Amino acid sequence: MPPECVACAQSTTRKRNPSGTGKFTVVYFHPTVDYLDDWAGHPENAVWFCAEHLPLTEGLTHLTAFDAIDRIRTRLTQVEAQSG
């Protein structure tokens, strides 16, 4: 599965990335699960962001992914309301 920005749902497979760079970064938030040494998969605290929305994660990595994403989406909604 290709990376998809949790803030804007843009994917590396889509023609247009809002950042214009096509680059995605995985951000690790505070884990809520302890994984065994032989565990394989995508951790629940690892979340992809496009370059445009990566700055929104600053200062939030101490939160769980659920709480951080909630704050990020609230910020985006407020910005959209102010610019709309």
Side-chain angles (χ1 to χ4, degrees):
M1 178 181 234
E4 183 173 292
C5 178
V6 74
C8 67
Q10 288 294 320
S11 170
T12 56
T13 60
R14 300 216 178 135
K15 291 182 181 179
R16 184 184 159 277
N17 181 307
S19 67
T21 64
K23 294 186 180 187
F24 289 76
T25 302
V26 67
V27 176
Y28 292 90
F29 295 99
H30 184 74
T32 60
V33 176
D34 289 326
Y35 298 100
L36 300 174
D37 290 339
D38 62 348
W39 181 84
H42 188 84
E44 48 77 35
N45 64 319
V47 182
W48 289 101
F49 288 88
C50 67
E52 179 180 333
H53 293 116
L54 183 62
L56 296 173
T57 67
E58 291 179 20
L60 299 178
T61 56
H62 68 286
L63 300 172
T64 65
F66 179 81
D67 290 339
I69 292 167
D70 186 50
R71 287 191 188 189
I72 289 167
R73 288 184 175 154
T74 299
R75 287 180 188 172
L76 288 173
T77 301
Q78 291 170 346
V79 168
E80 290 171 0
Q82 291 173 357
S83 65

